Amino acid sequence: MNTPSQTEGQLINVHIDAAIATVTLNRPEKRNALSMPFVRQLQACFEALPGSVRVVILNGAGAHFCAGLDLSELSETNAGEGMQHSMLWYEAFAKVQFGRLPVIVVMQGAVVGGGLELAATAHVRVAEDSAYFGLPEGQRGIFLGGGGSVRVTKLIGFSRVTEMMLTGHVLNATEAHAIGLVHYVTPAGEGMRKARELAARIATNAPLSNYAVLSVLPLIAEQPMSHGLMTEQLIAAITQGAPEAKERVHAFLEKRADKVGMAVNP
């Protein structure tokens, strides 16, 4: 079933095709710059996705994924308001990163500032070869405020983030792939095809396994080794005990399931 919908103001478009939801940033005339209404609609969108959805593709309308924060909102903001502004971004972005659904982001053109902070919330990142990545806050006299100092740093390390913010260094898609900022690079116009291919595969995973990857793996990464190993034991036992997991293991043992490497690699 195909179910297209739009939120008020049409800042976010949603299209649902069976188990896959495509969420599109829809402010192309502003290069999808993120205003607070935009961020609130993004949060509401992820909260409202129906239970039938198993995976989300996040993309941006037009030539650019997202050019970052709408700087017009900062012109009269005081320190307290700025902190509240960040908190609202954190709440919205947490719905993307720590919700129940795997998220694949497709990027083209500008992926800068807050746009890169948003992209870092996704679990799989696909970049078309037109994509470029930057953290221009240092040149604007400001600092990351949408979680990027944590999320982007975890992806590529604080030294690279420091250099990007100090110098304004912009990465192209190939450079971003080389340092682990993106997982896949495609020719122009091929990002959505790749994302749908990946989404179809992810949607067939057991929901409990996907939940463990999305929610437990990040927790383990923050824990001391002894704590992480205990957390791993617990979630391994829980997932292995699920009826769906038992059936999948039996299917493999009975040669009803593909072996690793038999499926075409994405």
Side-chain angles (χ1 to χ4, degrees), residues 31-135:
R31 301 200 304 170
N32 294 318
L34 295 170
S35 61
M36 279 314 306
F38 209 157
V39 171
R40 290 191 183 98
Q41 287 189 19
L42 181 69
Q43 178 174 351
C45 165
F46 273 82
E47 289 174 339
L49 290 171
S52 59
V53 172
R54 302 285 289 268
V55 61
V56 176
I57 298 172
L58 175 65
N59 71 329
H64 302 278
F65 170 67
C66 180
L69 169 67
D70 187 337
L71 291 175
S72 65
E73 292 190 343
L74 293 185
S75 58
E76 302 298 330
T77 301
N78 61 37
E81 291 168 340
M83 293 181 69
Q84 289 299 313
H85 189 277
S86 286
M87 286 300 298
L88 290 170
W89 278 52
Y90 298 163
E91 291 172 9
F93 285 10
K95 297 296 182 181
V96 180
Q97 184 175 7
F98 300 114
R100 68 178 181 85
L101 297 170
V103 178
I104 303 167
V105 64
V106 179
M107 299 164 287
Q108 76 283 352
V111 189
V112 300
L116 181 48
E117 292 180 298
L118 173 57
T121 67
H123 308 103
V124 179
R125 287 173 293 282
V126 178
E128 296 190 355
D129 56 17
S130 67
Y132 56 92
F133 305 81
L135 297 172

Side-chain angles (χ1 to χ4, degrees), residues 177-264:
H177 181 265
I179 65 173
L181 189 56
V182 303
H183 299 102
Y184 303 92
V185 177
T186 75
E190 290 294 311
M192 284 301 295
R193 183 196 62 77
K194 184 65 176 181
R196 291 189 185 99
E197 176 187 315
L198 296 168
R201 178 172 295 191
I202 292 170
T204 65
N205 293 345
L208 186 57
S209 294
N210 278 348
Y211 168 80
V213 172
L214 302 189
S215 298
V216 182
L217 196 57
L219 181 64
I220 291 172
E222 299 291 338
Q223 294 177 326
M225 178 173 283
S226 59
H227 295 192
L229 293 174
M230 176 55 73
T231 303
E232 179 187 88
Q233 290 178 47
L234 293 171
I235 196 65
I238 291 169
T239 56
Q240 291 165 11
E244 184 172 354
K246 291 182 180 298
E247 166 54 27
R248 289 175 182 236
V249 171
H250 288 153
F252 177 80
L253 294 174
E254 295 166 6
K255 304 186 185 305
R256 292 185 284 115
D258 289 340
K259 294 181 179 179
V260 174
M262 289 180 65
V264 176

Side-chain angles (χ1 to χ4, degrees), residues 6-25:
Q6 294 183 337
T7 61
E8 182 181 355
Q10 300 182 346
L11 294 174
I12 303 288
N13 290 352
V14 182
H15 184 274
I16 297 174
D17 183 1
I20 301 172
T22 302
V23 174
T24 303
L25 309 180

